[in-house]
Amino acid sequence: MDAQMGSCRHAIAEVRLTPVLVCDPPLLNVQGVHQPYTPRLVVEVVTEDGVTGVGETYGDTKYLELARPYAPLLVGHDIADLNGLFTLMDAIGVDESRVDDSVGVGGLRGVQTADKLRLSVVSAFEVACLDALGRTLGVPVHTLLGGKVRDSVEYSAYLFYRWAEHPGGTGEKDDWGAALDPDGIVAQARRFVREHGFTSFKLKGGVFPPEREIAAVRALADAFPGHPLRLDPNGGWTPGTSLRVAAELAGVLEYLEDPAPGTRAMAEVSAGTDVPLATNMCVTTFPEIREAFATDAVQVVLADHHYWGGLRRTQELAAVCRTFGVGLSMHSNTHLGISLAAMTHVAATVPNLDYACDSHYPWQSEDVIVGRHVFRDGRLPVCDAPGLGVELDRDALDRLHRRWLADDGSMRDRDDAAAMRRAPGRSQWSAPALPRW
């Protein structure tokens, strides 16, 4: 190994894995409610030259169980050998008991496979290597990806039905209050506009019967005439219900995201409406593209570099979408500033970014970077500093890691259904089989 490192100028000398728990508001979705804390994994690669690059991904146990044996394999690996990251991951076995092939698990991301778990882990290491390489060469990550085509990236306000606080008063408090009806959703949107300047809005649906969510979208349309609106029930509806909602909101929605579970159901909906359908559930890997595009099941794909295996594969996805005339946006799950920086860099390089990107970031009150990203007029500037352009806040990272260490294990795996069962009168709650309505 020493000989290998000696022959490689930018070899990795050390890898650090730091799981953290980040406070999360009581945001509702089809499965339940967000837990008071959500797990994330921060990855650092340190080169023999002393340069450190950072990445981030899911921190649930099943991802940690892959990242821990994978990390030592990278010692001696050249940070520029990004293809080799996938080859090294091929040697890591997956505990099949950790894989759930039901639709809607794992953060509402659709069918789960061992390969998808591997890609989500590799994504963090690829970003960390790109960050280290950019710092080494003195160029931003977007330059390593071919250069930016825009100086800022547009993001959309991500609206949620939510409670005022977590059951039992657990978790961190905030001043957002409850949003359980159209007036609450409109008030939430107005605050997003006031604080961040967003000009488009996405509502997380699947929480209430469709009629109530139609009313919320119509209230948004009245409050923000001409602004793009989206609705995402995470596969919570049958094709029949999806078509009824699409008819009700024709001319109102920019697109309807994952109304029905799975490609076949989406194709049935698509055949019966002119409202564009988007997905981050039935198209999350390259093998899933063929059926979805051939059947015209989706007209917009929401990329997520955590799903696809990193930033370069996100660019590959964008090229495929461009080839087939399918629109492109970007998906978000609860994430920190490292992931938002990576997302912004790759979004800056994609010519066919047709829609504003999603981001949970305004909901997150904690971070592991020095300073917070600031949205202006609903956009983030593309950083031209070397690498990702972010610096770790060591004190914050240590504090959130100590929270993870102190946890009894109940928060180390995201489980929205378990969080819902803690609410009064919901002790028998279980994540509903999809479709729900």
Side-chain angles (χ1 to χ4, degrees):
M1 185 64 71
D2 290 342
Q4 182 182 4
M5 290 180 61
S7 65
C8 176
R9 181 182 174 190
H10 304 309
I12 296 172
E14 182 184 359
V15 177
R16 304 182 191 128
L17 303 178
T18 309
V20 297
L21 283 177
V22 183
C23 68
D24 211 4
L27 308 178
L28 298 165
N29 58 48
V30 71
Q31 287 190 323
V33 64
H34 287 206
Q35 297 182 129
Y37 302 99
T38 195
R40 299 296 287 179
L41 174 62
V42 175
V43 171
E44 298 175 75
V45 297
V46 184
T47 72
E48 62 177 4
D49 298 329
V51 176
T52 300
V54 297
E56 174 196 342
T57 191
Y58 299 99
D60 305 66
T61 304
K62 57 194 170 189
Y63 301 100
L64 286 173
E65 289 176 348
L66 291 177
R68 284 171 172 151
Y70 179 64
L73 301 181
L74 269 68
V75 174
H77 189 81
D78 191 334
I79 55 173
D81 182 10
L82 302 176
N83 288 332
L85 297 176
F86 297 93
T87 303
L88 291 173
M89 179 53 80
D90 288 341
I92 304 299
V94 175
D95 180 354
E96 294 297 330
S97 68
R98 295 289 186 186
V99 178
D100 188 334
D101 61 1
S102 60
V103 174
V105 301
L108 308 167
R109 62 180 293 179
V111 174
Q112 191 178 92
T113 67
D115 284 341
K116 289 183 181 182
L117 293 179
R118 290 189 181 98
L119 288 172
S120 292
V121 173
V122 172
S123 69
F125 289 87
E126 189 233 36
V127 168
C129 285
L130 284 167
D131 185 32
L133 184 60
R135 292 171 185 270
T136 298
L137 300 177
V139 300
V141 164
H142 63 72
T143 295
L144 299 177
L145 297 175
K148 62 181 179 178
V149 297
R150 55 184 62 84
D151 291 321
S152 66
V153 173
E154 184 180 5
Y155 285 86
S156 180
Y158 207 155
L159 310 178
F160 281 83
Y161 293 106
R162 58 160 290 163
W163 295 330
E165 59 182 28
H166 288 282
T170 58
E172 311 300 319
K173 305 297 190 294
D174 64 33
D175 62 354
W176 281 86
L180 298 171
D181 58 21
D183 288 344
I185 292 298
V186 169
Q188 191 181 104
R190 292 192 189 282
R191 179 167 173 177
F192 270 116
V193 172
R194 185 171 64 251
E195 295 185 358
H196 306 290
F198 293 120
T199 59
S200 63
F201 306 91
K202 170 178 168 176
L203 174 62
K204 177 66 75 177
V207 177
F208 297 115
E211 291 74 19
R212 291 180 62 177
E213 298 182 352
I214 290 171
V217 172
R218 289 197 176 279
L220 287 169
D222 290 341
F224 303 97
H227 290 244
L229 303 176
R230 310 157 183 183
L231 177 60
D232 172 22
N234 280 120
W237 304 334
T238 65
T241 299
S242 301
L243 286 168
R244 178 166 56 82
V245 174
E248 289 275 353
L249 295 177
V252 178
L253 288 178
E254 181 180 36
Y255 60 67
L256 182 57
E257 182 181 337
D258 286 308
T263 297
R264 292 184 181 181
M266 290 281 284
E268 183 178 344
V269 178
S270 179
T273 182
D274 292 328
V275 176
L277 302 186
T279 188
N280 75 276
M281 291 177 66
C282 59
V283 179
T284 59
T285 62
F286 288 101
E288 294 173 332
I289 289 176
R290 181 192 293 271
E291 181 185 5
F293 286 13
T295 60
D296 194 31
V298 297
Q299 291 75 50
V300 183
V301 172
L302 278 69
D304 186 320
H305 70 273
H306 306 93
Y307 291 6
W308 293 84
L311 307 188
R312 295 180 311 133
R313 291 200 174 190
T314 300
Q315 289 182 307
E316 292 175 21
L317 168 65
V320 174
C321 288
R322 186 166 65 247
T323 300
F324 285 90
V326 173
L328 185 74
S329 183
M330 291 192 177
H331 166 262
S332 164
N333 211 317
T334 305
H335 60 79
L336 296 167
I338 298 170
S339 281
L340 183 58
M343 184 177 177
T344 302
H345 274 275
V346 69
T349 70
V350 175
N352 56 314
L353 188 64
D354 305 294
Y355 302 89
C357 303
D358 294 346
S359 178
H360 283 66
Y361 192 72
W363 287 113
Q364 311 313 135
S365 59
E366 297 179 318
D367 211 334
V368 295
I369 62 172
V370 177
R372 284 185 61 84
H373 297 290
V374 177
F375 295 93
R376 300 191 187 283
D377 299 323
R379 309 182 74 92
L380 278 185
V382 180
C383 185
D384 292 323
L388 291 175
V390 299
E391 300 294 335
L392 279 179
D393 182 331
R394 295 286 174 186
D395 291 338
L397 181 66
D398 180 64
R399 177 172 54 84
L400 299 185
H401 178 55
R402 282 188 279 109
R403 179 188 287 159
W404 183 89
L405 290 172
D407 180 67
D408 62 5
S410 62
M411 300 290 168
R412 291 186 182 183
D413 292 287
R414 176 174 169 176
D415 190 336
D416 294 353
M420 180 67 90
R421 287 192 290 273
R422 299 187 186 100
R426 303 291 186 105
S427 61
Q428 301 304 310
W429 174 271
S430 61
L434 301 181
R436 186 178 180 186
W437 285 284

